[in-house]
Amino acid sequence: MQLSDEYLTQHATLVANLGIAIPNYDRRKLEVGIVHLGLGAFHRSHQAVFNEEVLNLTGDLRWGICAVAFSNEQLKNQINAQDGLYTNVRCGKEQNFQIVGCIKQALVASKQMQEILETLALPSVKLVSLTVTEKGYCLNEAGELDINSANVQHDIKHVLEPKTAIGILVAGFYVRFLKSQSAFNVIACDNLPHNGDKLKKATVALANEIRPELARWIEANAHFPNTMVDCITPKTEVTTVSAVETNCRFNDSVPVQREPFAQWVIEDIPGIERPQWEKAGVTFTSDVAGFEKAKLRILNGTHSALAYIGSLLSIDTVYNAINNTQIKAFISGLLEHEIIPSIDAPVGLDLADYAKAILERYDNPSIRHLLNQIAADGSIKIPVRTLEPIKENLATGRSIERLSIVVAAWIRFIVSSVEQQTEISDPKKQQMQVVVRGFSGDSKQDVAAFLSIEGIVEKDLLANPKFVDSVVQAYSEIDSFLASLANTQL
Ligand code: CS2
């Protein structure tokens, strides 16, 4: 039988006997206090689970979630068919199953904008959170709203029928502004440094194109705290669905699988009305930047390194890549010599211990995290994860040799995808294909052409010969570097 409220009522004893955690609050009385943009697995494995814990602990029913998918109507229908319920599968030494109930309703932006705007205008809605991936922020290489993008231009002309997440935020603010309601606050939950600051700037910039007073109103009334989010969440697979069926004895079309570890650090801004997330272990601090930088460079940075190097060696998962002795040695050197020295540790965080714990998290045989998933959107991820530390290392005279190998491996990965005609998942896919098809075989020319694709490398860095030469060197040696790593499983 399908998971639903009715199922839980009718099979309460069976579910309890199986040791499955269920919502212990009255879901029928849940109000919508949060609108979440981005109904993917990460929201459901991370923020929704923290939120669920607070609902379970406090019974404060103001904080139900209305979750918005952008175009995945099927996902929206599947969640609603289960009354918003889904299973969170924690994959550690054992599998542990929890039914999460804090999503009250799902909507899809491509078809239900009117309802979404009505929900955003509800007085009960105090927060809008987002997991829209890095590319969802519509930023250019300088980290500002990419005003020239077609979707942003669309949102300027069709304010109440927006396509982008930024456009939805602006439309939501606009509706509240016109009704003289209070503004909601916005919690960015994607892997970008200063995610809240950047989102606020982009939202205000878009609003300014539409109505300058609206921009000023948002600027004065809405908070966008910066956050750091962390929880390894591979895509849901058929095996996730069948594990739920076998262990829980009901059908769930939309479970999520994640590692046991999860962390959420939010900038502490007084006056934001929100759930008592600290009761679920969320850290509120004035130094999010330190946590963000540490996580983005140590975890996401090594993730991208593993994704490109591993994929080029035909390795499929993070677990298999980190269990190759030579790859692990490379990652350890990268961390020790070039990544950790680029970070000012936030108070109380020992970066070497933090990095060690992350490598241990990768070594989890119950998590099948596909390198292919991580390899997507390199043109947006590499600048944050790899080019930023390169820039800072260059400024202070530290080594960039290993970081350059990561950039070279990314370029080689794209080249090999073009050669083998495999799908490239990246917003700059077309530009990259054109450039790579024009490659001459001369590393210097080819690397220069690739790095010059608009919107990837900041102008100052591109003009720095130390950077370009280092990537050229790494690229010209990348095949022998890869060969030196091959066939060395632990
Ligand atoms: C990964 C992240 O896909 C990727 O780019 O690096 O999704 C990573 O798994 C999460 O940030 C972990 O918190």
Side-chain angles (χ1 to χ4, degrees):
M1 277 175 80
Q2 200 72 18
L3 174 62
S4 65
D5 279 329
E6 195 184 336
Y7 179 88
L8 285 189
T9 314
Q10 285 176 358
H11 298 85
T13 319
L14 171 65
V15 171
N17 287 343
L18 290 169
I20 303 163
I22 58 165
N24 71 5
Y25 51 91
D26 187 350
R27 292 194 75 229
R28 288 165 308 177
K29 297 200 182 131
L30 203 53
E31 285 178 58
V32 174
I34 303 171
V35 174
H36 182 82
L37 307 181
L39 184 47
F42 188 71
H43 168 62
R44 287 179 287 133
S45 76
H46 183 270
Q47 302 96 44
V49 174
F50 278 108
N51 203 50
E52 180 76 359
E53 197 171 331
V54 180
L55 289 177
N56 280 327
L57 287 169
T58 66
D60 182 349
L61 299 170
R62 290 174 298 162
W63 301 108
I65 299 175
C66 169
V68 176
F70 278 80
S71 57
N72 193 340
E73 204 177 352
Q74 189 191 12
L75 175 63
K76 176 221 69 158
N77 290 337
Q78 286 169 322
I79 297 251
N80 287 337
Q82 297 182 179
D83 302 321
L85 296 166
Y86 65 91
T87 317
N88 174 38
V89 186
R90 285 189 177 83
C91 307
K93 287 206 176 76
E94 291 162 4
Q95 279 187 330
N96 169 292
F97 301 84
Q98 172 193 15
I99 298 170
V100 180
C102 64
I103 295 187
K104 194 172 164 62
Q105 181 195 18
L107 296 170
V108 64
S110 52
K111 295 261 166 74
Q112 295 176 290
M113 193 47 73
Q114 178 74 24
E115 279 170 84
I116 293 169
L117 295 184
E118 280 163 17
T119 310
L120 284 167
L122 288 175
S124 64
V125 169
K126 308 290 180 200
L127 295 173
V128 177
S129 52
L130 294 88
T131 47
V132 295
T133 78
E134 296 89 329
K135 62 176 175 266
Y137 288 67
C138 308
L139 305 175
N140 60 22
E141 73 276 19
E144 289 168 357
L145 181 71
D146 185 1
I147 208 90
N148 299 321
S149 100
N151 285 342
V152 171
Q153 281 297 321
H154 169 278
D155 290 359
I156 293 173
K157 293 191 195 90
H158 308 274
V159 183
L160 299 180
E161 288 157 34
K163 287 190 173 168
T164 69
I166 316 283
I168 298 177
L169 286 177
V170 170
F173 279 127
Y174 199 21
V175 174
R176 291 177 84 115
F177 170 77
L178 293 175
K179 291 184 172 183
S180 304
Q181 282 175 269
S182 58
F184 45 73
N185 294 306
V186 182
I187 316 240
C189 299
D190 291 284
N191 288 322
L192 289 168
H194 314 298
N195 51 9
D197 294 343
K198 284 186 182 145
L199 185 59
K200 180 163 191 174
K201 215 167 155 197
T203 306
V204 169
L206 179 58
N208 199 40
E209 295 290 319
I210 294 160
R211 203 163 146 184
E213 306 148 74
L214 174 64
R216 286 196 293 273
W217 183 78
I218 297 172
E219 200 152 29
N221 293 290
H223 296 297
F224 289 62
N226 293 306
T227 72
M228 181 273 255
V229 292
D230 190 7
C231 182
I232 291 175
T233 305
K235 280 198 177 111
T236 297
E237 296 195 54
V238 183
T239 48
T240 326
V241 173
S242 56
V244 171
E245 198 178 329
T246 312
N247 291 280
C248 305
R249 318 252 185 98
F250 52 71
N251 296 314
D252 180 347
S253 333
V254 286
V256 288
Q257 55 168 338
R258 53 163 265 201
E259 62 174 338
F261 178 91
Q263 191 178 16
W264 194 5
V265 183
I266 304 180
E267 186 181 4
D268 197 7
I269 301 182
I272 295 186
E273 212 177 330
R274 58 162 176 82
Q276 291 176 285
W277 284 322
E278 65 278 16
K279 288 203 168 10
V282 177
T283 305
F284 285 86
T285 170
S286 55
D287 182 20
V288 179
F291 285 97
E292 269 175 357
K293 212 182 231 191
K295 193 263 172 171
L296 285 168
R297 295 186 182 181
I298 296 181
L299 191 150
N300 299 109
T302 57
H303 248 182
S304 289
L306 289 169
Y308 300 120
I309 292 170
S311 299
L312 286 164
L313 293 170
S314 305
I315 297 173
D316 57 349
T317 62
V318 171
Y319 175 77
N320 287 333
I322 207 65
N323 275 293
N324 171 307
T325 337
Q326 299 293 89
I327 296 184
K328 188 166 179 189
F330 172 73
I331 296 290
S332 301
L334 174 69
L335 282 166
E336 186 186 337
H337 301 290
E338 298 184 14
I339 294 185
I340 291 179
S342 78
I343 305 164
D344 284 329
V347 177
L349 189 70
D350 181 302
L351 293 175
D353 288 349
Y354 179 68
K356 187 164 165 270
I358 286 173
L359 296 188
E360 279 163 15
R361 286 165 59 196
Y362 292 168
D363 194 8
N364 177 351
S366 318
I367 288 277
R368 202 171 157 268
H369 198 184
L370 293 176
L371 294 178
N372 211 19
Q373 180 182 343
I374 301 166
D377 297 343
S379 69
I380 300 189
K381 292 175 180 173
I382 286 289
V384 167
R385 301 175 179 194
T386 316
L387 299 183
E388 282 285 315
I390 286 185
K391 202 168 74 182
E392 291 172 21
N393 283 4
L394 281 173
T396 48
R398 283 187 299 260
S399 156
I400 61 162
E401 190 191 327
R402 297 168 180 86
L403 289 161
S404 302
I405 294 177
V406 179
V407 180
W410 169 51
I411 301 175
R412 184 72 184 87
F413 171 81
I414 298 296
V415 170
S416 115
S417 308
V418 172
E419 281 167 3
Q420 291 164 21
Q421 298 184 357
T422 47
E423 180 59 25
I424 298 175
S425 179
D426 196 294
K428 299 233 180 275
K429 162 175 132 175
Q430 270 154 9
Q431 294 95 309
M432 295 196 291
Q433 280 168 332
V434 170
V435 166
V436 167
R437 286 197 189 109
F439 268 17
S440 63
D442 176 282
S443 297
K444 201 169 175 145
Q445 277 176 17
D446 294 349
V447 166
F450 192 94
L451 296 176
S452 305
I453 295 172
E454 215 188 315
I456 299 181
V457 186
E458 274 181 41
K459 292 188 178 50
D460 287 355
L461 187 59
L462 197 57
N464 187 332
K466 280 195 189 143
F467 162 67
V468 179
D469 290 351
S470 178
V471 180
V472 168
Q473 172 84 14
Y475 185 75
S476 64
E477 291 166 3
I478 193 74
D479 287 346
S480 50
F481 169 77
L482 292 167
S484 74
L485 302 178
N487 301 320
T488 46
Q489 294 294 317
L490 275 178

Short mmCIF file of all heavy atoms in Angstrom, two decimals, residues 42 46 134 190-191 228-234 259 261-263 295-296 299-304 307-308 318 361-362 369-377 381 385, ligand 1:
data_model
loop_
_atom_site.label_atom_id
_atom_site.label_comp_id
_atom_site.label_asym_id
_atom_site.label_seq_id
_atom_site.Cartn_x
_atom_site.Cartn_y
_atom_site.Cartn_z
N PHE A 42 17.70 17.08 -1.94
CA PHE A 42 18.49 17.71 -0.88
C PHE A 42 17.61 18.43 0.13
O PHE A 42 17.85 18.34 1.34
CB PHE A 42 19.56 18.66 -1.46
CG PHE A 42 20.48 19.15 -0.38
CD1 PHE A 42 21.40 18.29 0.20
CD2 PHE A 42 20.39 20.44 0.11
CE1 PHE A 42 22.23 18.71 1.23
CE2 PHE A 42 21.21 20.88 1.14
CZ PHE A 42 22.14 20.00 1.70
N HIS A 46 17.57 17.23 4.07
CA HIS A 46 18.33 18.13 4.95
C HIS A 46 17.42 19.09 5.71
O HIS A 46 16.98 18.82 6.81
CB HIS A 46 19.40 18.86 4.10
CG HIS A 46 20.30 19.76 4.87
ND1 HIS A 46 20.02 21.09 5.07
CD2 HIS A 46 21.48 19.55 5.49
CE1 HIS A 46 20.99 21.65 5.78
NE2 HIS A 46 21.89 20.74 6.05
N GLU A 134 23.44 25.93 -7.64
CA GLU A 134 24.22 27.15 -7.86
C GLU A 134 23.71 27.92 -9.08
O GLU A 134 23.62 29.15 -9.07
CB GLU A 134 25.71 26.81 -8.08
CG GLU A 134 26.41 26.18 -6.87
CD GLU A 134 26.32 24.65 -6.83
OE1 GLU A 134 25.32 24.06 -7.32
OE2 GLU A 134 27.26 24.02 -6.31
N ASP A 190 22.05 26.83 -0.79
CA ASP A 190 22.86 26.21 -1.83
C ASP A 190 24.34 26.49 -1.58
O ASP A 190 24.69 27.39 -0.81
CB ASP A 190 22.45 26.75 -3.21
CG ASP A 190 21.06 26.24 -3.59
OD1 ASP A 190 20.94 25.07 -3.97
OD2 ASP A 190 20.09 27.02 -3.47
N ASN A 191 25.17 25.71 -2.27
CA ASN A 191 26.61 25.73 -2.05
C ASN A 191 27.30 26.91 -2.72
O ASN A 191 28.03 26.74 -3.71
CB ASN A 191 27.23 24.44 -2.59
CG ASN A 191 26.89 23.25 -1.73
OD1 ASN A 191 26.85 23.34 -0.51
ND2 ASN A 191 26.62 22.12 -2.38
N MET A 228 25.44 27.68 5.66
CA MET A 228 26.23 26.57 5.13
C MET A 228 25.40 25.31 5.33
O MET A 228 24.86 25.09 6.41
CB MET A 228 27.55 26.47 5.90
CG MET A 228 28.44 25.35 5.41
SD MET A 228 28.06 23.80 6.22
CE MET A 228 29.43 23.67 7.32
N VAL A 229 25.25 24.56 4.26
CA VAL A 229 24.44 23.33 4.34
C VAL A 229 25.32 22.14 4.01
O VAL A 229 26.20 22.24 3.16
CB VAL A 229 23.25 23.37 3.35
CG1 VAL A 229 22.23 24.40 3.76
CG2 VAL A 229 23.71 23.63 1.92
N ASP A 230 25.08 21.03 4.68
CA ASP A 230 25.90 19.85 4.39
C ASP A 230 25.15 18.57 4.72
O ASP A 230 24.71 18.38 5.86
CB ASP A 230 27.21 19.92 5.20
CG ASP A 230 28.21 18.87 4.77
OD1 ASP A 230 27.95 18.18 3.76
OD2 ASP A 230 29.27 18.75 5.43
N CYS A 231 25.02 17.72 3.73
CA CYS A 231 24.51 16.37 3.94
C CYS A 231 24.64 15.65 2.59
O CYS A 231 24.03 16.08 1.60
CB CYS A 231 23.03 16.39 4.36
SG CYS A 231 22.39 14.74 4.68
N ILE A 232 25.43 14.62 2.55
CA ILE A 232 25.62 13.92 1.27
C ILE A 232 24.34 13.17 0.93
O ILE A 232 23.89 12.31 1.69
CB ILE A 232 26.86 13.01 1.35
CG1 ILE A 232 28.11 13.90 1.42
CG2 ILE A 232 26.91 12.05 0.17
CD1 ILE A 232 29.42 13.18 1.63
N THR A 233 23.78 13.54 -0.21
CA THR A 233 22.46 13.03 -0.60
C THR A 233 22.50 12.57 -2.05
O THR A 233 22.25 13.36 -2.97
CB THR A 233 21.40 14.16 -0.46
OG1 THR A 233 21.46 14.68 0.88
CG2 THR A 233 20.00 13.68 -0.75
N PRO A 234 22.84 11.32 -2.28
CA PRO A 234 22.82 10.86 -3.68
C PRO A 234 21.38 10.86 -4.20
O PRO A 234 20.44 10.83 -3.41
CB PRO A 234 23.33 9.41 -3.58
CG PRO A 234 23.90 9.27 -2.22
CD PRO A 234 23.23 10.26 -1.35
N GLU A 259 23.45 10.27 3.91
CA GLU A 259 24.35 9.78 4.95
C GLU A 259 23.76 10.17 6.32
O GLU A 259 22.90 11.06 6.40
CB GLU A 259 25.73 10.43 4.78
CG GLU A 259 25.68 11.95 4.93
CD GLU A 259 27.04 12.61 4.90
OE1 GLU A 259 28.04 11.94 5.17
OE2 GLU A 259 27.09 13.82 4.60
N PHE A 261 25.23 11.85 8.69
CA PHE A 261 25.70 13.19 9.07
C PHE A 261 24.88 14.28 8.38
O PHE A 261 24.56 14.18 7.20
CB PHE A 261 27.17 13.33 8.67
CG PHE A 261 27.75 14.68 8.97
CD1 PHE A 261 28.36 14.92 10.19
CD2 PHE A 261 27.67 15.71 8.05
CE1 PHE A 261 28.91 16.17 10.47
CE2 PHE A 261 28.21 16.96 8.32
CZ PHE A 261 28.82 17.19 9.54
N ALA A 262 24.58 15.35 9.11
CA ALA A 262 24.00 16.55 8.47
C ALA A 262 24.40 17.76 9.29
O ALA A 262 24.48 17.68 10.52
CB ALA A 262 22.49 16.45 8.39
N GLN A 263 24.66 18.85 8.62
CA GLN A 263 25.04 20.08 9.33
C GLN A 263 24.36 21.26 8.64
O GLN A 263 24.25 21.32 7.41
CB GLN A 263 26.57 20.25 9.27
CG GLN A 263 27.08 21.33 10.19
CD GLN A 263 28.60 21.46 10.16
OE1 GLN A 263 29.26 20.95 9.26
NE2 GLN A 263 29.16 22.16 11.14
N LYS A 295 33.66 24.32 4.23
CA LYS A 295 32.86 23.24 3.63
C LYS A 295 32.98 23.26 2.10
O LYS A 295 33.16 22.23 1.46
CB LYS A 295 31.41 23.38 4.09
CG LYS A 295 30.56 22.17 3.78
CD LYS A 295 29.78 22.34 2.52
CE LYS A 295 29.07 21.10 2.08
NZ LYS A 295 28.16 21.35 0.97
N LEU A 296 32.88 24.44 1.52
CA LEU A 296 32.90 24.52 0.05
C LEU A 296 34.24 24.07 -0.51
O LEU A 296 34.30 23.43 -1.55
CB LEU A 296 32.65 25.96 -0.41
CG LEU A 296 31.21 26.44 -0.31
CD1 LEU A 296 31.13 27.94 -0.51
CD2 LEU A 296 30.35 25.75 -1.35
N LEU A 299 35.03 20.00 1.41
CA LEU A 299 34.14 18.94 0.93
C LEU A 299 33.85 19.10 -0.56
O LEU A 299 34.23 18.27 -1.38
CB LEU A 299 32.84 18.91 1.74
CG LEU A 299 31.98 17.66 1.47
CD1 LEU A 299 31.15 17.27 2.68
CD2 LEU A 299 31.11 17.73 0.25
N ASN A 300 33.21 20.20 -0.94
CA ASN A 300 32.81 20.32 -2.34
C ASN A 300 34.02 20.37 -3.27
O ASN A 300 33.98 19.82 -4.38
CB ASN A 300 31.91 21.53 -2.55
CG ASN A 300 30.62 21.42 -1.73
OD1 ASN A 300 30.43 22.13 -0.75
ND2 ASN A 300 29.75 20.52 -2.11
N GLY A 301 35.10 21.00 -2.81
CA GLY A 301 36.30 21.08 -3.64
C GLY A 301 36.88 19.69 -3.92
O GLY A 301 37.24 19.37 -5.05
N THR A 302 36.96 18.86 -2.89
CA THR A 302 37.51 17.52 -3.13
C THR A 302 36.48 16.65 -3.87
O THR A 302 36.86 15.77 -4.64
CB THR A 302 37.95 16.83 -1.82
OG1 THR A 302 36.85 16.78 -0.91
CG2 THR A 302 39.11 17.56 -1.17
N HIS A 303 35.21 16.92 -3.64
CA HIS A 303 34.18 16.20 -4.41
C HIS A 303 34.38 16.42 -5.90
O HIS A 303 34.34 15.47 -6.69
CB HIS A 303 32.80 16.74 -4.02
CG HIS A 303 31.96 15.76 -3.26
ND1 HIS A 303 30.69 16.04 -2.85
CD2 HIS A 303 32.22 14.49 -2.85
CE1 HIS A 303 30.20 14.99 -2.21
NE2 HIS A 303 31.11 14.05 -2.19
N SER A 304 34.57 17.68 -6.29
CA SER A 304 34.74 17.96 -7.73
C SER A 304 36.03 17.33 -8.24
O SER A 304 36.08 16.79 -9.35
CB SER A 304 34.73 19.47 -8.00
OG SER A 304 33.43 19.96 -7.83
N ALA A 307 35.32 13.81 -8.72
CA ALA A 307 34.36 13.60 -9.81
C ALA A 307 35.08 13.57 -11.16
O ALA A 307 34.85 12.67 -11.98
CB ALA A 307 33.30 14.69 -9.80
N TYR A 308 35.98 14.55 -11.40
CA TYR A 308 36.61 14.60 -12.73
C TYR A 308 37.73 13.57 -12.86
O TYR A 308 37.79 12.85 -13.85
CB TYR A 308 37.11 16.03 -13.02
CG TYR A 308 35.96 17.00 -12.99
CD1 TYR A 308 35.91 18.07 -12.11
CD2 TYR A 308 34.85 16.78 -13.82
CE1 TYR A 308 34.81 18.92 -12.06
CE2 TYR A 308 33.74 17.62 -13.77
CZ TYR A 308 33.72 18.69 -12.88
OH TYR A 308 32.64 19.50 -12.83
N VAL A 318 31.98 8.02 -5.42
CA VAL A 318 32.92 8.65 -4.48
C VAL A 318 33.60 7.56 -3.66
O VAL A 318 34.82 7.59 -3.45
CB VAL A 318 32.16 9.62 -3.55
CG1 VAL A 318 33.07 10.13 -2.44
CG2 VAL A 318 31.59 10.79 -4.35
N ARG A 361 33.71 10.23 5.78
CA ARG A 361 32.32 10.20 5.28
C ARG A 361 32.28 9.65 3.85
O ARG A 361 31.33 8.99 3.46
CB ARG A 361 31.71 11.60 5.35
CG ARG A 361 31.35 12.03 6.77
CD ARG A 361 31.10 13.53 6.86
NE ARG A 361 30.03 13.99 6.01
CZ ARG A 361 29.83 15.27 5.68
NH1 ARG A 361 30.62 16.23 6.13
NH2 ARG A 361 28.83 15.61 4.90
N TYR A 362 33.30 9.98 3.05
CA TYR A 362 33.32 9.46 1.67
C TYR A 362 33.46 7.94 1.66
O TYR A 362 33.01 7.28 0.73
CB TYR A 362 34.52 10.04 0.89
CG TYR A 362 34.46 11.52 0.61
CD1 TYR A 362 35.60 12.19 0.13
CD2 TYR A 362 33.31 12.26 0.80
CE1 TYR A 362 35.57 13.55 -0.15
CE2 TYR A 362 33.28 13.62 0.52
CZ TYR A 362 34.41 14.27 0.06
OH TYR A 362 34.39 15.61 -0.21
N HIS A 369 27.29 7.31 -4.19
CA HIS A 369 27.19 8.69 -4.67
C HIS A 369 27.90 8.78 -6.01
O HIS A 369 29.12 8.71 -6.08
CB HIS A 369 27.83 9.63 -3.65
CG HIS A 369 27.43 11.05 -3.81
ND1 HIS A 369 27.94 12.06 -3.06
CD2 HIS A 369 26.55 11.64 -4.65
CE1 HIS A 369 27.39 13.22 -3.43
NE2 HIS A 369 26.55 12.98 -4.40
N LEU A 370 27.13 8.93 -7.06
CA LEU A 370 27.69 8.87 -8.41
C LEU A 370 28.54 10.11 -8.72
O LEU A 370 28.10 11.25 -8.51
CB LEU A 370 26.58 8.75 -9.45
CG LEU A 370 25.80 7.42 -9.41
CD1 LEU A 370 24.66 7.45 -10.40
CD2 LEU A 370 26.73 6.24 -9.70
N LEU A 371 29.73 9.86 -9.22
CA LEU A 371 30.62 10.97 -9.58
C LEU A 371 30.00 11.83 -10.67
O LEU A 371 30.18 13.04 -10.73
CB LEU A 371 31.97 10.42 -10.05
CG LEU A 371 32.78 9.69 -8.98
CD1 LEU A 371 34.08 9.14 -9.58
CD2 LEU A 371 33.10 10.61 -7.80
N ASN A 372 29.23 11.17 -11.50
CA ASN A 372 28.55 11.87 -12.58
C ASN A 372 27.61 12.97 -12.08
O ASN A 372 27.47 14.02 -12.69
CB ASN A 372 27.74 10.80 -13.32
CG ASN A 372 27.63 11.15 -14.75
OD1 ASN A 372 28.42 11.96 -15.24
ND2 ASN A 372 26.65 10.57 -15.42
N GLN A 373 26.97 12.69 -10.95
CA GLN A 373 26.06 13.68 -10.35
C GLN A 373 26.87 14.91 -9.91
O GLN A 373 26.48 16.05 -10.13
CB GLN A 373 25.34 13.03 -9.15
CG GLN A 373 24.36 13.97 -8.46
CD GLN A 373 23.69 13.31 -7.22
OE1 GLN A 373 23.69 12.09 -7.04
NE2 GLN A 373 23.12 14.14 -6.37
N ILE A 374 28.03 14.66 -9.32
CA ILE A 374 28.86 15.76 -8.82
C ILE A 374 29.53 16.51 -9.97
O ILE A 374 29.74 17.72 -9.91
CB ILE A 374 29.92 15.22 -7.84
CG1 ILE A 374 29.24 14.50 -6.67
CG2 ILE A 374 30.83 16.33 -7.32
CD1 ILE A 374 30.17 13.64 -5.84
N ALA A 375 29.83 15.78 -11.06
CA ALA A 375 30.54 16.39 -12.19
C ALA A 375 29.69 17.43 -12.93
O ALA A 375 30.23 18.26 -13.66
CB ALA A 375 30.99 15.31 -13.16
N ALA A 376 28.38 17.40 -12.72
CA ALA A 376 27.50 18.34 -13.43
C ALA A 376 27.79 19.79 -13.03
O ALA A 376 28.24 20.05 -11.92
CB ALA A 376 26.04 18.00 -13.11
N ASP A 377 27.54 20.69 -13.96
CA ASP A 377 27.61 22.14 -13.70
C ASP A 377 28.99 22.63 -13.25
O ASP A 377 29.10 23.55 -12.45
CB ASP A 377 26.58 22.55 -12.62
CG ASP A 377 25.15 22.30 -13.07
OD1 ASP A 377 24.93 22.13 -14.28
OD2 ASP A 377 24.25 22.28 -12.21
N LYS A 381 30.48 25.34 -10.53
CA LYS A 381 31.08 24.82 -9.29
C LYS A 381 32.58 25.10 -9.21
O LYS A 381 33.10 25.46 -8.16
CB LYS A 381 30.84 23.30 -9.19
CG LYS A 381 29.37 22.94 -8.97
CD LYS A 381 29.19 21.43 -9.00
CE LYS A 381 27.75 21.02 -8.78
NZ LYS A 381 27.56 19.56 -8.96
N ARG A 385 34.73 26.45 -6.03
CA ARG A 385 35.44 25.42 -5.27
C ARG A 385 36.94 25.42 -5.52
O ARG A 385 37.71 25.02 -4.65
CB ARG A 385 34.88 24.04 -5.66
CG ARG A 385 33.39 23.94 -5.40
CD ARG A 385 32.81 22.62 -5.90
NE ARG A 385 31.38 22.58 -5.59
CZ ARG A 385 30.63 21.50 -5.64
NH1 ARG A 385 31.17 20.35 -6.00
NH2 ARG A 385 29.35 21.55 -5.34
C1 CS2 B 1 28.28 17.78 -4.33
C2 CS2 B 1 27.31 18.29 -3.27
O1 CS2 B 1 26.96 17.46 -6.27
C3 CS2 B 1 27.84 18.13 -5.74
O2 CS2 B 1 28.37 19.05 -6.33
O3 CS2 B 1 29.55 18.26 -4.07
O4 CS2 B 1 25.99 18.06 -3.62
C4 CS2 B 1 27.61 17.68 -1.89
O5 CS2 B 1 27.30 16.32 -1.88
C5 CS2 B 1 26.85 18.38 -0.80
O6 CS2 B 1 27.17 19.74 -0.82
C6 CS2 B 1 27.18 17.77 0.55
O7 CS2 B 1 26.69 18.57 1.55
#
